Amino acid sequence: MLIRKAGFEKFFEHLPSYPIVFYESCAMICMICSSIMHLMWVKSKEACVKLHKLDLIGILFLILGSGLCIIYYEFMCMPFYRNIYIILNSLIAVCVLYTMVCGGDFVRKIEAMIYIQVRNTSWIAAAVFIAQVIFSL
C-alpha cells in the first residue's frame, strides 16, 4: 500500500540538517566517553577519577548538543535571539568544562555551598508541598 504524500516534504525541505548531525555527534561522543569510563575505571583510583571526569565531559557534550539543536530550530525565525542563546549556552558549557577539568579546592568549596543550598531548598519545598496537601484535605 502506498502512503500518500501530505505535503510535509515541502515544509521541511528548507530546514538545515546540520543541527541534527551535531546532536548525533555529541550523543556519540557521550557514549564513547561513557563506554571508555565503564571499561577502564577499575584500573586504579587515579584512573577512576580521571575517567569519571571524562564521563562527565561526555555528558556535557550531550547536554550541549541537545540544547543547541532545540534552540536552533526553536528560534529559526529569530536569528538574532538564536545566536545569542547559542553563544550563551556555549559559554556556559566552556565554563563548566573548565571547572570540571581544572577545578581545584576553590571549585570544590563552591560546589559544596551550592549543594547545601539546593538540598535545603529541596527540603523546604517538600515541606511546603506536604503542608499544602495536609491542610487542603
Side-chain angles (χ1 to χ4, degrees):
M1 181 165 112
L2 294 173
I3 298 175
R4 213 168 147 191
K5 291 186 178 180
F8 291 117
E9 290 81 14
K10 288 184 178 181
F11 178 73
F12 291 115
E13 71 185 13
H14 73 281
L15 291 175
S17 62
Y18 60 84
I20 294 178
V21 172
F22 179 71
Y23 165 71
E24 290 173 352
S25 302
C26 289
M28 289 179 65
I29 289 172
C30 177
M31 293 297 127
I32 289 169
C33 291
S34 182
S35 63
I36 290 171
M37 183 264 192
H38 287 283
L39 284 173
M40 305 289 220
W41 73 276
V42 295
K43 296 291 182 191
S44 67
K45 185 175 181 179
E46 296 83 19
C48 181
V49 169
K50 290 180 182 177
L51 290 170
H52 183 66
K53 286 183 181 181
L54 180 69
D55 190 34
L56 291 176
I57 290 170
I59 293 169
L60 176 69
F61 270 103
L62 182 61
I63 292 170
L64 178 68
S66 61
L68 292 183
C69 183
I70 291 170
I71 288 170
Y72 187 85
Y73 288 124
E74 191 71 29
F75 291 98
M76 180 71 80
C77 298
M78 298 175 281
F80 175 74
Y81 294 115
R82 178 189 65 207
N83 294 337
I84 294 292
Y85 277 111
I86 287 175
I87 289 170
L88 286 175
N89 277 346
S90 301
L91 286 175
I92 290 171
V94 167
C95 291
V96 169
L97 181 66
Y98 176 77
T99 57
M100 283 189 335
V101 174
C102 304
D105 291 332
F106 177 71
V107 174
R108 286 190 197 104
K109 289 178 185 176
I110 292 174
E111 287 175 348
M113 288 188 299
I114 291 172
Y115 172 74
I116 290 169
Q117 290 175 354
V118 168
R119 185 189 64 192
N120 292 341
T121 305
S122 300
W123 280 107
I124 291 170
V128 169
F129 175 74
I130 290 171
Q132 286 179 346
V133 169
I134 290 173
F135 291 119
S136 68
L137 297 177

